[in-house]
Amino acid sequence: MGSQGSLGQESVFLLAVLVSAMVLSPTLAIHVYTDREIYGRVGSKVTLSCTFWSREWISDDISITWHFQPEYSRDSISIFHYAKGQPYIDDVGTFKDRISWIGDPSWKDGSIVIHNLDYTDNGTFTCDVKNPPDIVGKSSQVILYVFEKVPIRYGVVLGAVIGGVLGVVLVALLLIYLCRCCWLRRQATLQRRLSAMEKGRLRLGKDSSKRSRQAPVLYAMLDHSRLTKSASEKKSKGGLCDTRKDRK
């Protein structure tokens, strides 16, 4: 009974350790990124970009694989493989001598170039990356469309139209801003001139008020001087008359 109890406790302990390890330890997962779709012209070349992100340092065991699924087909074939620091390009199938390796795993880049495009290259290309021990992750797919002439996508046209409209709006706003600045400067100049004129008028008004106040005083002084002069003249005349009377 005692041995069975100890075995039960040990099993419970191991289960708890396993659960805690699964919960606490982060799950290693590599993330791969490609374009959603890409367009090419017959006879030209196209770059299939593939970048990835991994929690681990880039190891010597990293591997990058490109698969191709032709249009209207369910079968997928391997057309490129990178392992042990060496690229291995398909030299048998339809991509023989048409694939170039331009990636660099140290920069988390697994891109390739396809030359001399043909209509048979229409399909889905899948980029898959493994960086042990970071091997859990999801691959990424890009769809290639090959045309005689690469069509202008609706998004590009819409983006160009929106960009043009935004440019016109920005120019209009800039012109409005400049006109407003010029108008404000002119108003400020006129305001300064008006204030200067108002100050000049006030000064003239003060001077005229002073002159108007001084005028009655001057007139009063002149009248007083005239009155005193006339009074003195009368007195002098009266004195002369009295002396004449006395002489008689």
Side-chain angles (χ1 to χ4, degrees):
M1 293 293 290
S3 61
Q4 291 180 357
S6 62
L7 288 175
Q9 291 178 357
E10 289 179 359
S11 60
V12 171
F13 176 75
L14 290 175
L15 181 61
V17 170
L18 180 61
V19 171
S20 62
M22 294 176 61
V23 173
L24 296 177
S25 61
T27 302
L28 299 178
I30 194 167
H31 300 274
V32 184
Y33 306 96
T34 61
D35 297 322
R36 293 183 60 184
E37 57 186 32
I38 192 170
Y39 297 85
R41 184 171 52 85
V42 174
S44 65
K45 64 180 181 179
V46 68
T47 300
L48 301 181
S49 299
C50 176
T51 57
F52 59 92
W53 179 87
S54 176
R55 293 178 181 269
E56 297 291 331
W57 291 97
I58 304 302
S59 67
D60 296 333
D61 296 328
I62 188 171
S63 64
I64 301 171
T65 305
W66 278 93
H67 298 274
F68 173 64
Q69 181 180 352
E71 191 177 19
Y72 308 116
S73 175
R74 295 182 180 181
D75 298 329
S76 178
I77 60 174
S78 176
I79 60 174
F80 175 84
H81 186 67
Y82 178 92
K84 302 295 181 179
Q86 294 294 328
Y88 298 93
I89 302 173
D90 178 23
D91 58 355
V92 178
T94 58
F95 293 97
K96 179 182 179 180
D97 301 328
R98 294 200 297 130
I99 296 179
S100 297
W101 164 246
I102 61 170
D104 187 352
S106 61
W107 290 93
K108 298 180 175 60
D109 185 5
S111 304
I112 61 174
V113 176
I114 300 178
H115 301 268
N116 194 19
L117 290 175
D118 194 22
Y119 292 113
T120 57
D121 298 332
N122 282 294
T124 302
F125 292 81
T126 303
C127 181
D128 186 35
V129 183
K130 305 296 184 195
N131 183 36
D134 194 354
I135 59 175
V136 180
K138 188 178 180 181
S139 58
S140 184
Q141 296 179 339
V142 54
I143 301 175
L144 173 62
Y145 297 96
V146 181
F147 299 94
E148 182 67 29
K149 293 183 179 180
V150 178
I152 300 176
R153 289 182 292 178
Y154 174 75
V156 175
V157 175
L158 182 61
V161 172
I162 294 175
V165 172
L166 289 177
V168 172
V169 172
L170 289 175
V171 171
L173 290 175
L174 181 61
L175 291 175
I176 293 172
Y177 176 76
L178 292 175
C179 293
R180 182 175 176 79
C181 289
C182 294
W183 183 80
L184 290 175
R185 289 182 180 178
R186 188 172 182 181
Q187 291 295 320
T189 303
L190 292 175
Q191 190 68 28
R192 287 195 297 269
R193 291 180 180 177
L194 290 174
S195 61
M197 292 175 64
E198 290 293 332
K199 289 180 181 179
R201 289 178 182 177
L202 290 174
R203 290 178 181 175
L204 291 174
K206 289 180 180 179
D207 295 339
S208 61
S209 63
K210 288 180 180 179
R211 292 176 182 176
S212 61
R213 291 176 183 176
Q214 291 176 358
V217 176
L218 292 174
Y219 289 142
M221 291 176 65
L222 289 173
D223 292 337
H224 180 70
S225 61
R226 288 175 183 175
L227 290 174
T228 53
K229 186 176 181 181
S230 61
S232 61
E233 288 177 355
K234 288 180 180 181
K235 286 181 180 182
S236 61
K237 289 180 180 180
L240 290 173
C241 293
D242 290 340
T243 52
R244 290 178 182 177
K245 288 180 180 180
D246 293 336
R247 287 178 181 177
K248 292 178 177 181

